[in-house]
């Protein structure tokens, strides 16, 4: 019997066995390599995403300004030294500030003639320069008739050119900036009059149709108010539900029904909550459209299952011995919960809440449905004012055709991701610091 | 006075009741606390909470129903000619009145009648709010007063208090049920209205989706066909591309991280993949529109293929990137939960790691992996922002990933953020689509749960 076995392929030292063994080892190596490839492609996608956002967005934090000598022509401004303060301000607001810019530019480039060329010359300065000049005239009474150097914001086309987004070597008909404008910019550059500063306006002003003037303050405040409403509603209700389901609920069909509902709600797409908000909050309850109140209510309903599930896990993690000890000392069930279990599970609950809030911060679809998608320029002051949110602002800018909005969108994404990293980092730090090993 | 002030007044009343309750309890036993049934604080809390809860309830009613009540009063004050307008015109008229009050622009020149109506609106708002405020404060004070009167040494205030607390906990839990009920009822209600205009078989089985209904009798280019099949196939196409991309990568990452990677590598890679889950979908959409779609298009040109700039491939790939962490972390959990004894038994029989994984681990973890697959699919089907920004708007019935298709979620957004009156079939179809989406995702989640429950091995 053993002789026959020696010829069979199961003999451990035969050539066939060794060959098969090598094949198996090779398969092992290939499979491990494939696994590593899979993992690396996932990480690769993340890296490409972040590199894209950073490379397009970091330039959005810089702005281009042109240092020009603006002659405060008394012929255009008029005689304002005699006027009362409020009349003076009124008068200053009504004059043609753009003419001051235009004339000063014409003084700088005296050989520019013809209406079209003069308009092109004027267009290298942003339309927002008007408010800068107006503010200067209001602040300083004595500058009428003098020539003052001012750093005026360049228009978006010039901004894009200075940042390298528009190339010189293309034919003039294929780019937005003309050869003449390039010539003027070269002259200004040679005199060191083109300044690249940090774009504080991005963080302090509201939305605008012009890319160089657009800022995210309105969106940030809107997002903040919305999240405030969300947390004010979702946190108490979520924690109360978790306490009830974990500690007080009897094991009957009604409790099962509630649990099934909560698990289902956790898996519903966010746009359905938007439809709910639209149908009930806006149409049945007639709440004001685009208000952070409605946005907060909708997002609260969406975040509620997350908070409930996280809180339940945190409450469950508290060992029964704590509860038994409290009851043994004569506490009632409610007292055990409020005085012992809840404080001990609070870190876990807060971690889950912060993660839920971070998810709510990035949600766009429900807010689109309830109307927070309008073009809002002012910064909202309360939860009933019309507002927009940061992710919605990103969505609106991503749709805009102007080239200058690409970097603004990426810059806004960087701000949003920073907030998210902060919130998630806070949650993880809290979890690590307060996590108790029972 | 506004709601915030009212809320603060109610809080003030509660705080006063708290202190009065305590004092009264202490006075009734002349300071000998051990003669009281409950602690003095309980008496205070009982008096405070029993008054606060009804007051908060009144404020809750005001927030939800207040605007509707004022609207109805104003409508009643206007003449029959306004009341008999069509629903659409009446809504626009009321909108104008509200805009006059706030100071926004209105859709027609201002008449004296409208100005009077706006003044009446403001008047009514103040009056009715005052009424609610008086009711809230009165009810709150009255109930607090009654509770204070009940305070005596034998009064079991702690039990009553805990009963109140339990009631509020139950009320909070009911909100989750109300939410689901709200979603289902609002979707069904609007869908039924939609089905008055368009038959169910045309919606479910029609092959043409072109929801432009005619505003005027002679409008060109309106057909009003509401066949949803192109939307379903579009959704399926993009979901399929996403899953083809995400399932191998997610599963292989999970296998590598649990079986082959060192502890350090695992602790580095796992958070990186979780990071992908935390990125908002708007960012993915922007990335798809800015980088992925042009890249696919130019590489298509290199190969001589005609790829649309809003191809299903671009949207599908980015959606796949979004789903990778879901697939990977769920599979990771399932594979890790297979007990070591099975692995050891397999190694003991002479299997290599790969053979163990393929022949032992994957089959035993299969129900969990399949349920992860279904959950990822349901997430992909319900995803909105990526497809809104990267996929097209025209309903194309095709299986070619290089063409542009549209999905259910894109159409919902497009129908509801455009300007159409609210009960036209066009906007109602958005709710019908929403209901279909809700049912499909719910069914997928339900099946995923059932599979895990039925087939998952219970190891001891």
């Amino acid at each position: 019997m053993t002789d026959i076995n020696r010829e069979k392929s199961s003999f451990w030292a035969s050539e066939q066995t060794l060959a098969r063994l090598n094949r198996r080892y090779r398969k092992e190596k290939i499979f491990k390599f494939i696994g590593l490839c899979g993992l690396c492609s996932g990480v690769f996608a993340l890296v490409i995403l972040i590199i894209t956002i950073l490379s397009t967005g970091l330039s959005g934090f810089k702005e281009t300004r042109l240092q020009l000598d603006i002659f405060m022509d008394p012929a255009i401004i008029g005689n304002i030294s005699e006027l009362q303060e409020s009349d003076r301000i009124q008068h200053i607001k009504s004059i043609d500030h753009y003419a001051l810019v235009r004339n000063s530019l014409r003084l700088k480039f005296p050989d520019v003639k013809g209406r079209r060329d003069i308009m092109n010359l004027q267009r290298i300065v942003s339309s927002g320069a008007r408010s800068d000049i107006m503010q200067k005239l209001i602040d300083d009474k004595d500058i009428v008739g003098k020539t003052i150097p001012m750093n005026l914001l360049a228009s978006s086309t010039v901004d894009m050119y200075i940042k390298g987004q528009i190339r010189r070597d293309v034919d003039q008909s294929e780019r937005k900036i003309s050869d003449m404008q390039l010539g003027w910019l070269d002259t200004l550059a040679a005199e060191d009059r083109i300044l690249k500063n940090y774009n504080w306006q991005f963080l302090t002003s509201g939305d605008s149709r012009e890319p160089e003037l657009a800022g995210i303050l309105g969106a940030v405040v809107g997002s903040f108010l919305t999240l405030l409403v969300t947390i004010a509603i979702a946190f108490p209700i979520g924690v109360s539900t978790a306490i009830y389901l974990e500690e007080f609920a009897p094991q009957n069909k009604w409790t099962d029904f509630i649990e099934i509902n909560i698990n289902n709600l956790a898996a519903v797409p966010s746009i359905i909550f938007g439809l709910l908000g639209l149908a009930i909050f806006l149409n049945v309850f007639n709440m004001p459209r685009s208000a952070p109140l409605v946005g907060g209510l909708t997002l609260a309903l969406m975040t509620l299952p997350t908070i409930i599930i996280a809180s339940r896990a945190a409450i469950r993690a508290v060992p029964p011995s704590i509860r038994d000890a409290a009851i043994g000392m004569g506490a009632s069930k409610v007292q055990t919960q409020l005085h012992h279990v809840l404080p001990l599970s609070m870190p876990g609950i807060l971690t889950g809440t912060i993660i839920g809030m971070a998810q709510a911060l990035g949600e766009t679809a429900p807010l689109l449905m309830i109307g927070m998608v309008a073009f809002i320029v002012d910064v909202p002051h309360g939860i009933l004012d019309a507002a927009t949110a940061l992710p919605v602002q990103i969505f609106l800018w991503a749709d805009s055709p102007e080239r200058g909005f690409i970097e603004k969108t990426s810059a806004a994404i960087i701000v949003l991701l920073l907030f998210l990293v902060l919130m998630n980092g806070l949650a993880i730090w809290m979890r690590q610091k307060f996590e108790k090993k029972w | 006075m506004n709601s915030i002030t009212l809320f603060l007044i109610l809080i003030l009343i509660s705080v006063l009741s708290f202190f009065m309750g305590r004092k009264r309890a202490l006075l009734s036993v002349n300071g000998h606390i051990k003669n009281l049934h409950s602690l003095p604080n309980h008496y205070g809390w009982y008096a405070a909470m029993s008054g606060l809860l009804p007051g908060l309830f009144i404020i809750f009613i005001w927030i939800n129903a207040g605007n509707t009540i004022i609207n109805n009063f104003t409508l009643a004050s206007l003449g029959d000619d306004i009341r008999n307008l069509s629903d659409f015109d009446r809504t626009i008229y009321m909108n104008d009145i509200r805009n006059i009050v706030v100071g926004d622009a209105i859709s027609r020149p201002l008449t004296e009648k409208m100005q009077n109506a706006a003044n009446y609106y403001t008047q009514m708002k103040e009056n009715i709010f005052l009424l609610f405020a008086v009711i809230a404060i009165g009810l709150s004070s009255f109930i607090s007063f009654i509770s204070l009167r009940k305070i005596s040494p034998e009064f079991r205030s702690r039990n009553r208090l805990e009963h109140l607390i339990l009631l509020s906990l139950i009320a909070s839990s009911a909100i989750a049920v109300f939410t689901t009920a709200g979603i289902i009822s609002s979707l069904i209600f609007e869908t039924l209205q939609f089905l008055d205009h368009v038959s169910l078989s045309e919606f479910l089985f029609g092959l043409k989706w072109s929801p432009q209904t005619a505003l005027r009798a002679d409008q060109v280019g309106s057909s009003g066909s509401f066949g949803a099949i192109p939307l379903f196939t579009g959704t399926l196409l993009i979901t399929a591309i996403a899953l083809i991309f995400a399932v191998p990568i997610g599963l292989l990452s999970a296998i590598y991280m649990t079986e082959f990677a060192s502890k350090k590598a695992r602790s580095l890679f796992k958070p990186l993949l979780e990071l992908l889950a935390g990125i908002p979908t708007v960012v993915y959409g922007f990335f798809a529109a800015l980088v992925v779609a042009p890249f696919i298009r130019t590489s298509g040109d290199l190969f001589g293929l005609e790829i649309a700039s809003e191809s299903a491939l671009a949207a599908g790939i980015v959606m796949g990137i979004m789903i990778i962490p879901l697939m990977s972390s769920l599979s990771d959990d399932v594979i890790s939960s297979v007990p070591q004894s099975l692995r050891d038994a397999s190694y003991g029989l002479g299997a290599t790691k790969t053979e163990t994984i393929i022949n032992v681990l994957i089959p035993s973890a299969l129900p969990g992996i399949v349920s992860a697959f279904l959950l990822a699919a349901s997430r992909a089907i319900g995803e909105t922002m990526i497809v809104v920004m990267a996929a097209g708007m025209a309903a194309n019935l095709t299986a070619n990933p290089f063409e542009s298709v549209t999905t259910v979620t894109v159409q919902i957004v497009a129908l509801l953020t455009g300007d159409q009156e609210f009960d036209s079939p066009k906007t109602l179809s958005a709710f019908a689509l929403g209901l279909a989406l809700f049912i499909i995702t719910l069914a997928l989640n339900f099946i995923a749960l059932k599979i895990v429950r039925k087939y998952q091995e219970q190891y001891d």
Side-chain angles (χ1 to χ4, degrees), chain A residues 24-165:
Chain A
R24 286 166 66 200
Y25 284 152
R26 201 169 45 241
K27 265 203 280 189
E28 162 100 11
K29 280 209 189 72
I30 294 177
F31 189 70
K32 187 170 175 179
F33 179 68
I34 293 179
L36 188 59
C37 278
L39 184 60
C40 285
S41 26
V43 178
F44 177 67
L46 176 67
V47 167
I48 295 270
L49 180 66
I50 295 194
I51 288 182
T52 312
I53 299 292
L54 281 179
S55 64
T56 44
L58 283 179
S59 66
F61 288 109
K62 296 226 186 73
E63 61 180 6
T64 311
R65 282 193 184 256
L66 305 171
Q67 189 188 52
L68 299 171
D69 298 319
I70 305 292
F71 174 52
M72 301 294 179
D73 194 352
I76 300 180
I77 302 178
N79 193 352
I80 58 171
S81 49
E82 312 294 317
L83 293 174
Q84 294 282 1
E85 189 61 26
S86 51
D87 290 331
R88 190 177 77 100
I89 294 182
Q90 204 61 26
H91 182 88
I92 290 177
K93 283 191 182 162
S94 64
I95 62 178
D96 184 1
H97 310 93
Y98 237 359
L100 292 171
V101 177
R102 193 164 54 233
N103 292 343
S104 309
L105 279 170
R106 287 181 73 186
L107 278 175
K108 179 114 187 87
F109 298 104
D111 43 337
V112 176
K113 303 267 186 279
R115 193 162 178 277
R116 231 181 52 174
D117 290 340
I118 296 181
M119 289 315 282
N120 276 341
L121 181 60
Q122 182 182 297
R123 272 201 208 103
I124 63 173
V125 177
S126 157
S127 53
R130 285 182 288 192
S131 45
D132 283 345
I133 294 186
M134 184 176 80
Q135 198 56 42
K136 196 88 178 181
L137 280 172
I138 291 180
D139 290 338
D140 203 340
K141 286 191 184 178
D142 310 315
I143 53 175
V144 181
K146 300 199 189 125
T147 304
I148 7 170
M150 286 186 72
N151 291 340
L152 296 177
L153 199 59
S155 72
S156 179
T157 329
V158 173
D159 197 27
M160 288 293 104
Y161 164 68
I162 298 286
K163 288 175 179 166
Q165 298 287 341

Side-chain angles (χ1 to χ4, degrees), chain B residues 295-309:
Chain B
F295 175 72
I296 291 183
R297 208 171 106 197
T298 43
S299 28
D301 285 340
L302 272 171
F303 289 117
L305 292 165
E306 176 85 39
I307 305 188
S309 62

Side-chain angles (χ1 to χ4, degrees), chain A residues 252-302:
Chain A
N252 59 14
K253 280 202 311 213
W254 176 247
T255 313
D256 281 342
F257 184 61
I258 296 181
E259 286 189 15
I260 294 178
N261 260 317
I262 292 175
N263 288 332
N264 282 342
L265 279 180
V268 168
S270 55
I271 195 170
I272 305 277
F273 286 102
L275 287 177
L276 171 71
L278 179 62
I280 295 197
F281 294 136
L282 290 184
N283 282 331
V284 175
F285 290 164
N286 279 320
M287 290 189 181
R289 209 168 260 266
S290 286
L293 177 65
V294 187
L297 279 170
T298 316
L299 287 179
L301 289 180
M302 206 183 70

Side-chain angles (χ1 to χ4, degrees), chain A residues 130-410:
Chain A
R130 285 182 288 192
S131 45
D132 283 345
I133 294 186
M134 184 176 80
Q135 198 56 42
K136 196 88 178 181
L137 280 172
I138 291 180
D139 290 338
D140 203 340
K141 286 191 184 178
D142 310 315
I143 53 175
V144 181
K146 300 199 189 125
T147 304
I148 7 170
M150 286 186 72
N151 291 340
L152 296 177
L153 199 59
S155 72
S156 179
T157 329
V158 173
D159 197 27
M160 288 293 104
Y161 164 68
I162 298 286
K163 288 175 179 166
Q165 298 287 341
I166 302 183
R167 289 173 30 203
R168 286 190 87 122
D169 44 354
V170 197
D171 192 61
Q172 185 181 239
S173 57
E174 288 183 16
R175 52 177 147 84
K176 273 200 90 170
I177 195 167
S178 69
D179 285 336
M180 282 189 82
Q181 287 173 323
L182 286 177
W184 298 322
L185 289 173
D186 288 337
T187 320
L188 288 174
E191 298 173 16
D192 276 336
R193 283 178 178 268
I194 299 191
L195 307 162
K196 295 189 212 168
N197 298 337
Y198 277 111
N199 191 356
W200 294 118
Q201 200 165 15
F202 184 65
L203 296 172
T204 54
S205 64
D207 196 8
S208 156
R209 286 264 179 249
E210 306 287 335
E212 71 269 12
L213 298 171
I216 53 170
L217 186 65
V220 169
V221 172
S223 261
F224 174 71
L225 291 171
T226 310
L227 278 188
L228 211 62
V229 176
T230 308
I231 207 175
I233 297 178
F235 185 69
I237 296 182
V239 177
S240 314
T241 311
I243 295 178
Y244 175 70
L245 286 175
E246 270 306 303
E247 302 288 333
F248 294 108
Q251 287 291 340
N252 59 14
K253 280 202 311 213
W254 176 247
T255 313
D256 281 342
F257 184 61
I258 296 181
E259 286 189 15
I260 294 178
N261 260 317
I262 292 175
N263 288 332
N264 282 342
L265 279 180
V268 168
S270 55
I271 195 170
I272 305 277
F273 286 102
L275 287 177
L276 171 71
L278 179 62
I280 295 197
F281 294 136
L282 290 184
N283 282 331
V284 175
F285 290 164
N286 279 320
M287 290 189 181
R289 209 168 260 266
S290 286
L293 177 65
V294 187
L297 279 170
T298 316
L299 287 179
L301 289 180
M302 206 183 70
T303 328
L304 209 54
T306 315
I307 295 187
I308 292 176
I309 294 175
S311 309
R312 283 189 75 176
I315 292 177
R316 219 176 292 153
V318 176
S321 51
I322 304 267
R323 297 188 181 90
D324 292 342
I327 293 186
M329 296 293 285
S332 68
K333 266 198 128 178
V334 175
Q335 280 174 324
T336 323
Q337 283 310 303
L338 289 182
H339 296 182
H340 298 282
V341 178
L342 196 57
L344 287 174
S345 53
M346 205 35 105
I349 295 180
L350 282 178
T351 309
T353 309
I354 294 179
I355 292 183
M357 288 299 122
Q359 279 178 354
L361 178 59
E363 276 297 332
T364 328
L367 299 179
L368 288 185
M369 297 283 98
I370 58 152
M372 284 181 94
V373 75
F375 176 66
I376 311 271
V377 177
D378 308 312
V379 177
H381 292 288
I383 59 176
L384 292 174
D385 291 339
T388 186
L390 195 51
V392 178
Q393 183 74 283
I394 293 173
F395 171 65
L396 287 174
W397 281 350
D399 262 351
S400 296
E402 277 109 351
R403 204 190 193 126
F405 272 122
I406 295 182
E407 61 168 21
K408 292 285 183 283
T409 315
S410 296

